[in-house]
Amino acid sequence: MSTKTQPATRTLNLVQAVNEALDLALEQDPRVLVFGEDVGRMGGVFRATDNLQAKHGEHRVFDTPLAESGIVGFGIGLALAGLRPVAEIQFAGFLYPALDQILSHLGRMRHRTRGRYSIPMVIRAPYGGGVHTPEQHADSPEAILAHVPGVKVVIPSSPERAKGLLLAAIEDPDPVFFLEAIKLYRSVKAEVPQGYYTLPLGKARVVREGQDASLFCYGGMVEVCLKAAEVAAREGVALEVVDLETLVPLDTQTIVESVAKTGRAVVVYEAMRTQGFGAEVAARLAEEAVDYLEAPVVRVAGWDAPYPPFSAVEHHYRPDARRVLEAVRHVLTY
């Protein structure tokens, strides 16, 4: 962690940490612009941009029409003009109209111009379920985004990580998708350093050490895996929990080192199981850590169906500690 100011901390939830990061970025870099649907006077649907327009002005924090393709395309143009756009998409499930801009332009510009231009743009979006949202408000499209060459994909799991990673994403010279778990916005609080600091992109971190099996997860699933690890510990099983944090570029070294220690792996994510990002983690383990594995890699994920828009069945879709523990017992008894 690189810290530029005072080390003191204060307690924030994740959405407050995001707001503080945006405030600091706007304050320190006049090239930073924040825009999206309702981010101005309203302060965003989750209030992540609350009071930023009043503090920094309508020319730097402003609303856009309800047109996701236009938001991303507008940001690409701003970045090419030398600015640092930070766009908010109200929900990650609304990104699909912008896929043409994302696939055809956002990630290709550095390659297309032989390195003469890049797109230093951040696209923030809440993702995932757990709060009973309607249809398309709980989608987890990280695997789609991770498949786009030329972009980074970052998913924080705590307020402290969200602030430092978002500031690093805004400093990054290339486009970054910054996905924020809806379930964590106000359900978790933590001590967050005051002032401006960044955390390195492209690094996974071990949030709980163990010797019996590794749980690989990110975003809202870190909380679920930590709960499973607590239950397992009472049964005498020591689970290692690894927060991937950045999906692109993926920190394969930390993943392999964890499995070299435990010999068993469970990958947990809340997107649909088939061809979800967990398949990439399992493939990396097959390629680079098969000699360490004592059991097949198991995935715990959402089901191969659209996320249920009915709150009564949401808990059947989103992975929980019970399902993680079932997978752990499978790899331990293989």
Side-chain angles (χ1 to χ4, degrees), residues 109-181:
M109 198 61 66
R110 181 183 286 280
H111 179 77
R112 177 181 294 159
T113 63
R114 309 298 189 266
R116 286 178 294 172
Y117 294 97
S118 64
I119 305 291
M121 177 180 183
V122 175
I123 301 175
R124 296 181 38 253
Y127 85 99
V131 295
H132 309 311
T133 52
E135 183 182 14
Q136 215 169 326
H137 291 64
D139 284 18
S140 299
E142 65 270 20
I144 298 173
L145 302 176
H147 192 66
V148 179
V151 306
K152 296 181 176 69
V153 180
V154 179
I155 307 181
S157 64
S158 75
E160 179 256 351
R161 307 301 295 181
K163 181 179 173 182
L165 290 169
L166 180 53
L167 287 169
I170 294 171
E171 288 185 359
D172 198 272
D174 290 303
V176 178
F177 285 101
F178 196 84
L179 302 183
E180 301 153 8

Side-chain angles (χ1 to χ4, degrees), residues 310-329:
F310 312 109
S311 60
V313 297
E314 182 182 56
H315 65 284
H316 290 297
Y317 188 97
R318 190 172 186 266
D320 56 14
R322 177 187 59 79
R323 286 177 58 194
V324 174
L325 287 167
E326 287 177 358
V328 167
R329 294 184 186 106

Side-chain angles (χ1 to χ4, degrees), residues 31-77:
R31 298 173 299 171
V32 174
L33 302 175
V34 174
F35 53 90
E37 297 159 11
D38 297 323
V39 305
R41 181 178 297 181
M42 179 179 170
V45 66
F46 290 101
R47 303 297 185 268
T49 56
D50 205 19
N51 292 320
L52 296 182
Q53 186 180 76
K55 184 174 180 180
H56 298 282
E58 295 182 357
H59 63 298
R60 298 192 64 201
V61 181
F62 49 89
D63 295 329
T64 65
L66 199 162
E68 286 76 14
S69 182
I71 292 170
V72 176
F74 178 55
I76 292 171

Side-chain angles (χ1 to χ4, degrees), residues 213-235:
S214 300
L215 304 180
F216 297 108
C217 50
Y218 50 89
M221 289 296 103
V222 175
E223 179 186 42
V224 170
C225 288
L226 287 172
K227 287 180 180 176
E230 281 293 323
V231 175
R234 293 197 288 271
E235 300 172 359

Side-chain angles (χ1 to χ4, degrees), residues 287-311:
E287 290 172 343
E288 303 192 32
V290 70
D291 289 342
Y292 302 121
L293 286 169
E294 298 181 36
V297 178
V298 173
R299 290 173 289 170
V300 178
W303 308 113
D304 290 341
Y307 199 96
F310 312 109
S311 60

